[in-house]
Structure formats: C-alpha cells, structure tokens
Amino acid sequence: MSRRFTVTSLPPAGPAGTPDPESHRRSTADLRHLSGEDAKGDGNPKESSPFINNTDTEKGKEYEGKNMALFEEEMDTSPMVSSLLSGLANYTNLPQGSREHEEAENNEGGKKKPVQAPRMGTFMGVYLPCLQNIFGVILFLRLTWVVGIAGIMESFCMVFICCSCTMLTAISMSAIATNGVVPAGGSYYMISRSLGPEFGGAVGLCFYLGTTFAGAMYILGTIEILLAYLFPAMAIFKAEDASGEAAAMLNNMRVYGTCVLTCMATVVFVGVKYVNKFALVFLGCVILSILAIYAGVIKSAFDPPNFPICLLGNRTLSRHGFDVCAKLAWEGNETVTTQLWGLFCSSRFLNATCDEYFTRNNVTEIQGIPGAASGLIKENLWSSYLTKGVIVERRGMPSAGLADGIPVDMDHPYVFSDMTSYFTLLVGIYFPSVTGIMAGSNRSGDLRDAQKSIPTGTILAIATTSAVYISSVVLFGACIEGVVLRDKFGEAVNGNLVVGTLAWPSPWVIVIGSFFSTCGAGLQSLTGAPRLLQAISRDGIVPFLQVFGHGKANGEPTWALLLTACICEIGILIASLDEVAPILSMFFLMCYMFVNLACAVQTLLRTPNWRPRFRYYHWTLSFLGMSLCLALMFICSWYYALVAMLIAGLIYKYIEYRGAEKEWGDGIRGLSLSAARYALLRLEEGPPHTKNWRPQLLVLVRVDQEQNVVHPQLLSLTSQLKAGKGLTIVGSVLEGTFLDNHPQAQRAEESIRRLMEAEKVKGFCQVVISSNLRDGVSHLIQSGGLGGLQHNTVLVGWPRNWRQKEDHQTWRNFIELVRETTAGHLALLVTKNVSMFPGNPERFSEGSIDVWWIVHDGGMLMLLPFLLRHHKVWRKCKMRIFTVAQMDDNSIQMKKDLTTFLYHLRITAEVEVVEMHESDISAYTYEKTLVMEQRSQILKQMHLTKNEREREIQSITDESRGSIRRKNPANTRLRLNVPEETPGDSEEKPEEEVQLIHDQSAPSCPSSSPSPGEEPEGEGEADPEKVHLTWTKDKSAAGKNKGPSPVSSEGIKDFFSMKPEWENLNQSNVRRMHTAVRLNEVIVKKSRDAKLVLLNMPGPPRNRNGDENYMEFLEVLTEHLDRVMLVRGGGREVITIYS
C-alpha cells in the first residue's frame, strides 16, 4: 500500500539559509530524551514521554507570528512535527560506552571529527561475530571425546537438543530485538525491559556470571592447548608417577591461567580497539581450522593419514614411553626386548618377570584414522560410558582377561579415563559450544538496520554452526577409531590433538588455529562482561553495584573489569575445563529461558507496544524453548541448576526488597494486570465463604494543614490487625474543589504512602476532594475498591473533640457514617483514645484483651482479638470474653455453652458471665439525662439569632423553674447564664458557656466545673443548697480524663423524687442512659487494667431527632477506659466452627 507524506517547513531559517539553531537545539534535546540519554540507564522512576511536559521558557516567543496560532496551547507542551521528524532522521544509537570512547578519540588534539554513522551489515555485523562466539574451545578440545563416549546416536540427539534450544531462543530474541531499538546490554536490556527490573537484574547478573566463567573456560582451554600440545616442557609442576599427573596438570593450569588472565585483562584495560583489531584474525583462525577438518575428512576417504594405535589385547596404550609397538624386536640375528617390554617387565631380559596381562595378550597396531570409507561408523554408533580410572578398550577385539579383583597398575602405559562419564555430564560440557548467539544483539548500535540484520544474521549463524556440529558428529564417528575418540588428550596418537589428526594438511593447523581462537574468545568475554555489568550498574536497580558503573574518562568500565577478572580467577582456580563448563551452562540456560519467557509473555498479553518486525514467531515456540532450557538445566546438573536458580532468586528478592523504582513497561506488569483482572472477575462470582472472610479495611484518616496524618497510630493498628494480608485502603477527604486542591491531594497521598511504608501497611491510598467532609466520606465508602475486591470493614477514630466544634458537624458526620456502614452491610470499628494505642515497635509483656459480648454481631468480636494476637505487639496478651446475663438467664449454663462454643472455634480465652440484675434507675442516671437533654435543646439554638436564642433559652428556663417550684418553691431555683454577644463574638470568643445551677445538694464550683459527661467533684465539702453544672468547650476536654465522683443518690434524694421533673425527661433516653451507666460501671470494674477493650457498638436511633443524644450515650458507655474499640458487625457471619 503506497503512502504519501507532505512535509511543510514552518520554522524560520537562520542566516544564510541555515536551520534555526533554537529549533535544532530543541529537537536534539527531545531526541536525547527519547533515546534515554539524559537519564542514566533509564534512571527515571517512570517511563516518560519525550514530548510531553517539555517546558521551555521561550516557547511563547517562538510561536509568535506563525500561522499555527490555533495550536499554540498544544505547542507549549508538544513538539512540532517538523522537529520530531528532523530529530528522528538524525537519530543514532551507539553501544553503551562507545559514545564516550568515540568522543574522547575525536577530541584528541583539540580537533573534533565528525562521528560517522554505523554502516555494518548483516554479514559483518551479526553473522561473523556470532560464528566467532559460537565456535570455540569445545569444538576443538572435547567434541571428539563426546562422540567417542556417547556414540554417534546419542551425540546427535545431544547436539540436536542443544541447537534446537538456541534456535528457539534466537527466534524469541529476534522478536524482542525487532520490537524497537535495543541499546547496549543485549540480552539484559531485552529481559529487563520485557520482564521488569527484578527479572532483568537477576537474569542480567546471571548472564554476566556466565560470560565471565566463559572467559575462564576459554583461558583454561588456551592453557590446555599450550601445555598439552604446543609446549609440554613448559610445565612447572612435574608428576613423580602416573597417578600424580592429573594433579600436576591442574596446578600448571592454575599458574599459567592466572598469568594469561592478567595479560588479557591488561590488554582490555589498555584499550578495546586492540581487541577489535585482532577480532578478524581470531575469526580467520576458526574458519581456517574448520575448513581444514572438512578437507581432512574428504582426503581420508581415499588417502587416510598414518596415525597407528598400539593395543595390548584390547587395551589402548599411551605412546609416551615407547617407540615400537611390539614386545620383541630383531636386531641382526638377535631377539631383543623393546622399550614396551621394559614398561611391563622387571628388566629388559627375556627371563624377566612381566605383568600377567602383558604376558597373556599380544600387541597389535591399528590405524587411528581409518577414513570415511572404512565402515567404522557402525562401530561408533552406540555409547561407551566409562568410570574414572578405567582403561580405554577397543570393543569387539579378543583379549585374555584377568581374574576379577586384580587391580590395574596405574604406572603402566595405558590410556585411562580421567573422569566418570554419563549422558547428562556430557550435555553440560557440550552446551557452551552452542552459546554466543547474543553477539548480534549486543552490537545492535553498530548495525545499519538492526531490526533486519539481527534475526537474519543470528538465525543463519545458528543454522551454520548447527550444521557444522551435526556433520562433525557423524564425520568424527565415521573417520576416527573409537579408542582414539575416547582418548581425551590424544595420548594414543603421540600426544596430538585428536581432531588435529584428521585435519589436512597438518595437525598443526588445528592446534595453532584453536589456540588463537580460544585466546580471542577469552578476550571477547573479558571485553563484553564488564560492559554488561556496567549497563546493569548504571540502571541503578542493584544499589551495591553502582560503583561498577564508573570507569575511565572514555567510558571504559575499569572497576567492572577488575571485578570480572576476580570472578574469572575463581573459574581458573577450579582449573578443570570439564568442571567449569557446566557452571556457565547453567547461567546461559537461565538467560535463554527468560528470553523465551519474555517473548511468550509479551505475545500472550498482546500489549499494544508489542509490534515486532520479525513475524516468524509464536508463543508456543517460545514456551517450548523455555521448557527445553529448564529441562537442560536439570539434565546438565540438578544441583548446579538449583544453585543458579537460588542465586537468581536472591537477586530478584533483593531488588524487590530495595524497591526497584523503575517503570519500563515490562511484561510482568502487564501479566500482573491480566492476573488481577482475572482474579477480580472470579471474585465477582459471589461473596467469600465464611472460612475465607477477613476484614478488608477502609481506614479513614484525617490530615492537617500540612497534609500529614493526624493520628498515625490508626495505621499502626491497621498493620497489627492485617499483618500484610487482604485488602487495605487508606482514605482521606479534603474539602474544596478538585481543580483548586489537586496539588494538596497529591501531597496528602504521598504523606499517607510514606506513613504506610513506615508502618508496613500493604495496601492502597485514596484521597478524595469534596465540597464537604460528609459527602467525601460517603463517596469513599461507596466507591472504594474495585469489583469483588472491596472493603467490608471501615476503621475510623472516635471524634475526640466533638463537643467543641462550633458548627457541631463532626458528630453529625460520625452518626451518618455509622448509618451508611449499616446500610452498606459493612462492619465498623471505632477506636477511642487512639493516641494511646501502641505503635509497632512496642511490646506488651502481659495483660489482656477483653471482649464484652453484649449482642451477637456475626463473630467480629471473636475474630478481631484472634487476628491482633498474631502480631508481636499483642502476642503475649491473653484473651478474656465477658458476656452479660439477665434476670431470667442461667449464668452457669451460659458459661458452659460459651466455653464449648470457643472450643469449637479453636480460640483460647477465659470466659466470664457478668450478672446484671434489674435495678432502679439511679439519681446519677437522671442527672446525666437531664443535663444531656437541656444541653441538646441549647445546642439547637446555636445557629439562631441573638433574640431567638434568648427567647428559646428563657422558655426552657421558665419551664424548668415552674416544674421545680411546684415541688419545692422555697429552696429551688434554676439559672441559665448566657453571656452577652457583642459584634465579632463569633471570631473572638470561641466558646459559649451555659451554666445550669440547681439550688440543691451540690456545691458551686465555677473553677472546676466538668462537662456534661463528667460529674462534679468535691462531694464531701458540698453546699447542700446548690448543684452547679457548667458546660464549656475547653473545660469538657480538660475534665475528660478525670475520675468520676458521682453525687450519691441519698444526697439528692429529695430533688430527684420530684414527679414533675421526671415527666419532663424522655423515658427512652433515661433507659438508654441507665444501660450505658450500668454497663460502664461493670466494664470499668472488670477491665480497667485491660490493654484493650472491645465491645458492641449500639446503633444510632431510628428517629434522627435523637442524634444529639447518641454521642453522649457512647461517651458514658466508654468513659474511664484507656483503649476502647467499638465494634459493629456487617450483618453476616465472619467466623465458623466448621473446617
């Protein structure tokens, strides 16, 4: 489909037709932001758009006088299309570290040279580097041994499985690499941006460790070629006998390996350009060596090379100690013994005592390389696994064996197996030979078209190497004798490299070529691994590695190179190539597994940004590759696999614990969203079963003017109650409009989140802006949560200063909250004296949690102490349950039934039944009710005018006087003093004082008058003529915590026996107050020293005219208690006796 674009140039040109420099600067800055160059390693907490919120102080001037005035508002925050296209056209992406290195080189001598855009194609940029990294030490040093041990069939399966694994991984990698630009970091970048910083950091470090140990393996391969095939005389440690040769070889590997590592690290430190200059030489050695092998195979078909093998019986002999493969030789007419005779016999004489096996078997000589036309392939089809110390024997050859139990002399010149071999071990040793497929993706910045070159070059390289490996397996089995294949170090062929014996024109081609190729591979590993570590460090997701992100002025990772060399030295100290190979196999397999996982997750989630140019992929292929990698990990070595997964898991949890504040649009986040959506839809199917019910809290908190939480103890209690389980929503309400108060709401959210993190409350924060608090709280209760994941319990603090509010809206809001939770079938928890609740660092060493079970609320009162006692703050507190028995209740039977009920609930608690018999309503109750009703009537007048208020209060006063005078006209008077209101009283005088003075049975104490909820003190010194009660806003708060000194019923007997006064009181209020007073007396008596008291919260009155009295009832019910939690159930059972 054809596309036509019309580009209109709008920015004015500078002098002489040059582009506007300001526009160029702006577009360059935008593109730097697009490419992530301004942020170190994408260090911003969230991925941001390069074009949104890009402020510029000169924007206003820039668009003056242009013909795009209609879009001036948008242009203040978004770039023009011309700037965008200009920046994209000039966009270049160089590998990490190379930009600084290149700038440093260009600035030498004070002359700045223009940076040339990368122009590498598929062949030079991807194909050849992948070939160089895939072909390596295993091909030349171990593949023949693998074929000889496992046989052609099992070796073919092994190679096919490993190559299939890398091919599937390459398909997944191609899809990821073509889904946008892949900067330096290669697989680390792809995994971290696809699966998130936790997976990216864990797998990136594993890939780094794999690359580092690969460098150690290549160095060990270099030393093995040097000491075993090039210069055996250079060995420092010499073995005294044959049994000590292996240990001496390992020590030599350690010494020379350390020296070579030091030299290579120095070369890398001096400059990568030296490594890159020799890269083509190393690659040429690899290709030349492989061609020499194929040439030798072709030549062996008609002219096999001459490499005779000496056999004693069917046992293979090492050629190191003799020259003639015979027991006896003819010199003139005399029969003499050979050097071989002296190795098996006590002397060179014919009558010497010889080894029994040597005596009973003949010495034969066969060709080690019969050639491709010899039909040898049939003999090498099947495996021949060996145990350590076993002699390499030729199958199908007759031999006079020895009796069982006779040990073999290790000093005899046999070829011994140096290790126990089995299929899984061979897989672990062979797999590193197929690694290196990431070389193309690591060089994406140097490619002309990375999205085309990476898939093509990588897949072609894997196909080429797979064909070479598979054909090598068949050809080695068809051309080389089995005993030679199983001879790991070529002892039977005069110490030659086994694969070299097949090469043409000379074995030295392979020896020298493999030596330089392993040197080059080691240098490449020491070059790539530090840059990978530097990329991880600069991302900042692993804090303790950030020091390794620094380097030289040109960007070379000096500190990362030092750490890489130290880790590489660990592999060299192991000193055995066969032991190091499975280690790096684990790390590479884990990396490949997560590349496949990343592709599968992105494909299945179908995220909008998943648009790879490489189309030949499918999630089933990625899943198959992932499964194959995981299976190979455990096939190679199950304990190495567990260790590698443990290391990755620890790194993952460390990054998660430290809080990786990275938002890369990764697939794990998308997977989390999909899983959350699925779970939410499942939750919609119905409410949770009683067994699964737990309080899902909506915690209502209040913030001050600085948007700080007023009572942080409420979140401490939330943490103690939830212990990180279930849903927690912390909500708050700000008064105002959303447009004006949005910044304050954001600050409040940040403040609440910080407090939640400090108190270890796992949940969500929601701040609502509303015109008034009542509506805001209602909105939170109605809209909190999502779908089936909604709160079922509301936790709120008691409005401590509800009496002091001038508008008296606080207690009205609280009562409406109680009604709304009841209507919504939500449980309600109200904490009184929340400032006295313990914080998370505190511990109660003793005490009790007392539950006063008055009415059945679905089991909330039983469940809450059980949950609290799981937290270490309340763990040592015992649980006590009190219930109230009425006159007609059998308290003994009630206690038995409650004990049985708790036993079936599996809750341990002390049980006590409190008997509350019917009793007369006390004078104290009447007094509390009288003061409450008179106060309620006066509160109604607070919003009236001055004259209306005075008339209303005067009518109350006259009514009270008349009723009292009718009973005792001489001694009783009632006076209500209301201070005169002057202009500005509402601002200057924050309280209004109402004095109720009854001339009966109590002293006049204006200096310490308590609130209506408290009783006057000083009964012993009372003037029998007066009862003086004062209600003020400040004094009610000051006297809240004082102990009660109620007036005795005898002292005011005459006053409260007045029938007219009783008639003025609401009898329903009297009964309610009586219940509150009696219950409070019992609770205070039993639970004064309890660490926490939980009791049923009575519901508000159905008639809203009694709302003002409801708060007073609750105050009386809970006074003189330190920590109280009022509990109101949600109308469903929350605890069950069934399993």
Side-chain angles (χ1 to χ4, degrees):
M1 182 176 69
S2 62
R3 294 182 176 90
R4 290 183 298 172
F5 296 93
T6 301
V7 181
T8 304
S9 178
L10 292 177
T18 58
D20 184 8
E22 175 62 25
S23 174
H24 177 73
R25 182 194 62 78
R26 184 175 63 255
S27 63
T28 305
D30 287 342
L31 267 295
R32 279 204 308 269
H33 193 85
L34 171 64
S35 60
E37 294 172 20
D38 286 350
K40 284 189 177 180
D42 294 351
N44 293 329
K46 293 187 178 180
E47 187 84 13
S48 59
S49 169
F51 309 120
I52 306 300
N53 300 326
N54 186 13
T55 59
D56 193 339
T57 57
E58 299 182 1
K59 289 281 181 130
K61 298 180 181 179
E62 183 181 352
Y63 299 113
E64 290 179 359
K66 298 189 177 181
N67 55 358
M68 299 295 288
L70 181 62
F71 295 93
E72 284 183 359
E73 295 295 332
E74 287 77 6
M75 287 181 179
D76 286 340
T77 56
S78 304
M80 292 181 294
V81 174
S82 58
S83 300
L84 172 65
L85 296 179
S86 174
L88 289 176
N90 297 323
Y91 174 63
T92 60
N93 178 28
L94 298 179
Q96 189 163 357
S98 62
R99 179 185 300 276
E100 296 88 346
H101 182 67
E102 192 164 345
E103 289 178 354
E105 288 185 346
N106 292 336
N107 290 331
E108 290 180 359
K111 295 181 180 180
K112 189 170 183 179
K113 302 177 183 177
V115 178
Q116 296 294 329
R119 293 298 178 187
M120 297 182 68
T122 302
F123 185 77
M124 293 295 296
V126 180
Y127 182 75
L128 291 183
C130 285
L131 284 184
Q132 183 182 1
N133 281 267
I134 294 174
F135 287 134
V137 63
I138 301 297
L139 171 63
F140 302 116
L141 297 184
R142 293 291 182 270
L143 186 58
T144 54
W145 177 73
V146 169
V147 174
I149 296 294
I152 295 176
M153 298 300 294
E154 292 186 21
S155 298
F156 179 86
C157 294
M158 184 188 312
V159 173
F160 181 79
I161 292 173
C162 294
C163 292
S164 299
C165 176
T166 55
M167 179 62 77
L168 293 173
T169 303
I171 292 174
S172 300
M173 183 195 70
S174 299
I176 298 174
T178 58
N179 188 51
V181 179
V182 179
S187 60
Y188 160 70
Y189 186 91
M190 289 187 290
I191 294 172
S192 61
R193 270 55 177 182
S194 298
L195 296 181
E198 293 88 358
F199 277 108
V203 181
L205 285 178
C206 286
F207 187 58
Y208 163 74
L209 292 175
T211 306
T212 304
F213 277 101
M217 183 188 71
Y218 291 131
I219 293 175
L220 292 175
T222 301
I223 304 304
E224 183 176 316
I225 295 172
L226 181 69
L227 296 180
Y229 307 113
L230 286 176
F231 305 104
M234 291 180 60
I236 299 174
F237 298 92
K238 307 290 185 180
E240 296 180 357
D241 52 19
S243 59
E245 289 182 358
M249 184 65 177
L250 293 180
N251 290 329
N252 288 321
M253 300 277 280
R254 294 185 180 103
V255 173
Y256 280 103
T258 303
C259 296
V260 172
L261 173 63
T262 305
C263 295
M264 287 185 175
T266 304
V267 172
V268 174
F269 176 78
V270 170
V272 185
K273 55 184 179 180
Y274 299 108
V275 179
N276 294 331
K277 286 180 180 179
F278 288 101
L280 288 178
V281 176
F282 299 143
L283 178 59
C285 292
V286 172
I287 296 176
L288 184 61
S289 300
I290 295 174
L291 292 178
I293 293 173
Y294 281 105
V297 169
I298 296 173
K299 180 179 178 296
S300 69
F302 55 86
D303 185 14
N306 183 28
F307 282 98
I309 307 299
C310 190
L311 302 176
L312 177 61
N314 63 352
R315 296 179 177 180
T316 309
L317 296 177
S318 174
R319 281 282 190 173
H320 288 306
F322 62 95
D323 52 356
V324 178
C325 182
K327 295 181 181 181
L328 302 173
W330 294 91
E331 291 185 1
N333 295 324
E334 184 180 359
T335 302
V336 295
T337 58
T338 60
Q339 292 177 340
L340 182 62
W341 179 280
L343 295 176
F344 284 92
C345 300
S346 60
S347 69
R348 299 293 296 269
F349 300 106
L350 292 174
N351 59 353
T353 303
C354 297
D355 180 74
E356 184 179 357
Y357 188 85
F358 179 79
T359 305
R360 297 175 61 179
N361 290 274
N362 294 324
V363 176
T364 58
E365 191 174 59
I366 62 173
Q367 280 297 324
I369 313 294
S374 62
L376 192 63
I377 190 171
K378 296 179 181 179
E379 298 180 11
N380 293 328
L381 278 177
W382 311 111
S383 62
S384 180
Y385 295 106
L386 304 175
T387 57
K388 185 176 181 180
V390 173
I391 301 173
V392 176
E393 299 178 346
R394 189 173 190 267
R395 289 180 296 189
M397 191 166 186
S399 172
L402 301 177
D404 294 338
I406 299 178
V408 177
D409 190 350
M410 300 295 292
D411 291 330
H412 288 162
Y414 293 124
V415 177
F416 293 96
S417 172
D418 66 328
M419 63 188 302
T420 301
S421 55
Y422 40 90
F423 180 79
T424 57
L425 173 70
L426 299 182
V427 173
I429 293 175
Y430 171 75
F431 187 80
S433 65
V434 297
T435 59
I437 63 174
M438 300 291 184
S441 62
N442 291 340
R443 296 167 178 254
S444 60
D446 299 326
L447 302 175
R448 184 184 304 114
D449 186 358
Q451 297 189 358
K452 176 183 177 182
S453 298
I454 289 177
T456 306
T458 305
I459 293 176
L460 283 178
I462 294 176
T464 303
T465 54
S466 300
V468 169
Y469 283 129
I470 292 175
S471 63
S472 297
V473 167
V474 177
L475 294 176
F476 289 164
C479 297
I480 304 175
E481 178 64 46
V483 292
V484 179
L485 291 174
R486 290 188 287 276
D487 182 7
K488 182 184 292 186
F489 300 106
E491 298 176 47
V493 287
N494 298 319
N496 284 299
L497 185 62
V498 174
V499 69
T501 59
L502 184 61
W504 181 86
S506 171
W508 289 101
V509 176
I510 299 295
V511 173
I512 296 175
S514 60
F515 176 79
F516 283 109
S517 69
T518 51
C519 285
L523 283 171
Q524 293 289 346
S525 298
L526 290 179
T527 302
R531 278 163 175 73
L532 178 59
L533 180 61
Q534 188 182 48
I536 298 172
S537 303
R538 287 184 173 178
D539 268 347
I541 58 176
V542 184
F544 69 86
L545 291 180
Q546 290 185 2
V547 65
F548 299 105
H550 307 291
K552 294 193 295 185
N554 60 0
E556 292 298 314
T558 307
W559 293 106
L561 176 61
L562 181 62
L563 179 65
T564 302
C566 294
I567 297 175
C568 193
E569 178 65 19
I570 297 175
I572 290 175
L573 292 177
I574 295 175
S576 174
L577 188 148
D578 301 316
E579 296 291 335
V580 174
I583 297 176
L584 64 99
S585 295
M586 292 301 109
F587 293 123
F588 279 120
L589 280 167
M590 181 171 292
C591 176
Y592 296 165
M593 179 178 70
F594 280 99
V595 168
N596 286 289
L597 175 63
C599 182
V601 167
Q602 298 277 32
T603 306
L604 289 174
L605 291 179
R606 299 177 181 176
T607 54
N609 191 53
W610 181 245
R611 302 183 300 274
R613 290 186 178 274
F614 181 76
R615 300 295 182 183
Y616 305 102
Y617 71 94
H618 196 266
W619 69 268
T620 55
L621 296 177
S622 300
F623 186 79
L624 179 60
M626 181 184 67
S627 304
L628 200 56
C629 290
L630 184 62
L632 282 174
M633 287 179 66
F634 285 92
I635 288 174
C636 294
S637 176
W638 64 268
Y639 47 89
Y640 278 167
L642 292 178
V643 171
M645 296 177 74
L646 178 63
I647 293 174
L650 291 176
I651 298 171
Y652 179 94
K653 296 305 292 183
Y654 173 77
I655 297 174
E656 185 182 50
Y657 172 75
R658 291 303 300 263
E661 297 181 358
K662 300 290 180 183
E663 178 53 62
W664 289 328
D666 53 88
I668 291 298
R669 185 171 179 83
L671 186 63
S672 301
L673 290 174
S674 297
R677 180 183 63 86
Y678 174 78
L680 287 173
L681 292 176
R682 288 291 304 273
L683 289 176
E684 286 285 350
E685 296 176 1
H689 192 272
T690 303
K691 292 184 291 186
N692 297 325
W693 194 96
R694 67 167 58 245
Q696 317 288 4
L697 290 181
L698 170 62
V699 185
L700 299 178
V701 298
R702 184 164 58 93
V703 295
D704 55 19
Q705 295 296 328
E706 286 75 25
Q707 280 73 46
N708 295 322
V709 178
V710 176
H711 293 297
Q713 294 88 350
L714 206 58
L715 290 184
S716 300
L717 177 63
T718 302
S719 174
Q720 297 159 19
L721 186 62
K722 297 291 291 180
K725 304 296 191 299
L727 172 69
T728 301
I729 303 174
V730 181
S732 185
V733 179
L734 299 181
E735 288 189 278
T737 62
F738 182 77
L739 293 178
D740 296 335
N741 297 90
H742 181 60
Q744 290 85 340
Q746 288 183 320
R747 289 197 297 271
E749 283 190 6
E750 291 297 326
S751 174
I752 294 174
R753 285 196 182 97
R754 286 195 301 269
L755 183 59
M756 291 173 66
E757 184 177 354
E759 297 294 342
K760 298 181 180 179
V761 176
K762 298 183 182 299
F764 309 97
C765 170
Q766 187 172 2
V767 177
V768 172
I769 303 175
S770 179
S771 58
N772 58 77
L773 292 177
R774 178 176 172 181
D775 291 343
V777 171
S778 178
H779 294 159
L780 275 176
I781 293 176
Q782 295 178 60
S783 61
L786 179 64
L789 190 65
Q790 291 185 339
H791 56 274
N792 53 30
T793 305
V794 178
L795 174 61
V796 67
W798 174 261
R800 183 166 53 93
N801 299 323
W802 63 274
R803 290 193 179 105
Q804 300 179 16
K805 296 295 182 182
E806 291 185 0
D807 57 358
H808 312 291
Q809 195 61 35
T810 302
W811 59 271
R812 298 182 189 276
N813 292 342
F814 178 78
I815 296 176
E816 289 303 314
L817 170 65
V818 177
R819 286 196 172 101
E820 288 178 355
T821 54
T822 303
H825 302 288
L826 303 176
L828 178 64
L829 310 179
V830 180
T831 57
K832 192 174 181 187
N833 302 329
V834 67
S835 59
M836 301 180 67
F837 275 69
N840 287 330
E842 300 181 41
R843 304 287 184 271
F844 287 134
S845 58
E846 58 181 2
S848 63
I849 301 176
D850 289 1
V851 177
W852 285 85
W853 194 19
I854 311 300
V855 295
H856 182 54
D857 57 351
M860 279 288 291
L861 283 171
M862 307 291 183
L863 185 62
L864 292 177
F866 173 77
L867 296 176
L868 282 175
R869 291 180 70 242
H870 278 76
H871 197 274
K872 46 194 171 185
V873 173
W874 305 92
R875 188 166 295 158
K876 295 185 179 180
C877 294
K878 60 183 180 180
M879 181 176 170
R880 300 192 302 177
I881 297 181
F882 299 88
T883 188
V884 177
Q886 302 298 326
M887 280 293 295
D888 53 350
D889 292 330
N890 186 342
S891 59
I892 298 177
Q893 187 61 38
M894 283 181 63
K895 184 174 182 178
K896 291 182 179 179
D897 294 342
L898 181 56
T899 303
T900 304
F901 179 60
L902 291 177
Y903 175 78
H904 288 301
L905 288 178
R906 290 90 66 198
I907 293 178
T908 303
E910 298 179 8
V911 176
E912 185 173 345
V913 177
V914 179
E915 296 181 352
M916 289 185 61
H917 303 295
E918 293 291 337
S919 62
D920 295 334
I921 299 175
S922 65
Y924 174 70
T925 302
Y926 279 106
E927 179 66 16
K928 297 285 285 188
T929 310
L930 177 63
V931 173
M932 178 186 69
E933 290 196 351
Q934 292 178 339
R935 172 181 169 277
S936 299
Q937 294 183 51
I938 294 172
L939 287 176
K940 294 178 181 179
Q941 315 306 319
M942 286 300 180
H943 297 290
L944 301 179
T945 64
K946 174 182 174 183
N947 295 333
E948 291 173 339
R949 190 186 322 170
E950 289 180 348
R951 285 198 300 270
E952 184 68 22
I953 294 177
Q954 188 62 40
S955 65
I956 298 173
T957 304
D958 294 342
E959 182 180 353
S960 300
R961 283 176 179 168
S963 62
I964 295 175
R965 283 171 180 166
R966 284 196 299 271
K967 181 66 179 177
N968 194 353
N971 299 326
T972 307
R973 60 190 175 88
L974 175 67
R975 183 175 77 247
L976 280 78
N977 292 336
V978 180
E980 288 293 331
E981 187 175 23
T982 59
D985 276 352
S986 60
E987 293 83 15
E988 299 174 1
K989 194 169 183 179
E991 66 176 29
E992 295 195 35
E993 182 177 310
V994 180
Q995 292 184 339
L996 304 176
I997 304 176
H998 302 276
D999 297 338
Q1000 182 74 21
S1001 305
S1004 177
C1005 303
S1007 62
S1008 59
S1009 301
S1011 66
E1014 307 289 340
E1015 286 300 317
E1017 299 181 359
E1019 180 184 353
E1021 303 174 3
D1023 183 354
E1025 296 297 319
K1026 292 183 179 181
V1027 175
H1028 182 178
L1029 299 173
T1030 303
W1031 170 66
T1032 66
K1033 295 179 181 179
D1034 291 338
K1035 293 177 182 179
S1036 66
K1040 186 175 182 180
N1041 296 323
K1042 295 183 180 179
S1045 300
V1047 179
S1048 64
S1049 59
E1050 291 82 1
I1052 54 174
K1053 179 178 179 181
D1054 294 338
F1055 172 70
F1056 281 104
S1057 64
M1058 295 181 296
K1059 188 67 175 177
E1061 185 67 21
W1062 294 357
E1063 293 176 353
N1064 289 335
L1065 295 178
N1066 187 319
Q1067 295 304 309
S1068 175
N1069 289 340
V1070 173
R1071 291 193 303 272
R1072 290 172 179 266
M1073 183 63 74
H1074 174 66
T1075 303
V1077 170
R1078 292 282 290 126
L1079 271 177
N1080 179 256
E1081 290 175 355
V1082 175
I1083 294 173
V1084 170
K1085 179 180 178 181
K1086 298 286 186 180
S1087 302
R1088 177 183 290 274
D1089 297 328
K1091 302 301 182 184
L1092 178 63
V1093 176
L1094 292 91
L1095 70 155
N1096 292 108
M1097 181 179 183
R1102 293 186 177 89
N1103 184 4
R1104 294 180 181 268
N1105 294 329
D1107 284 355
E1108 59 272 11
N1109 302 326
Y1110 177 66
M1111 301 293 289
E1112 198 70 49
F1113 293 142
L1114 297 182
E1115 282 281 7
V1116 173
L1117 180 63
T1118 58
E1119 62 184 353
H1120 313 307
L1121 296 172
D1122 291 339
R1123 302 180 191 89
V1124 183
M1125 184 183 293
L1126 296 172
V1127 180
R1128 185 164 176 79
R1132 62 161 295 169
E1133 294 292 332
V1134 301
I1135 195 168
T1136 178
I1137 65 175
Y1138 299 103
S1139 61

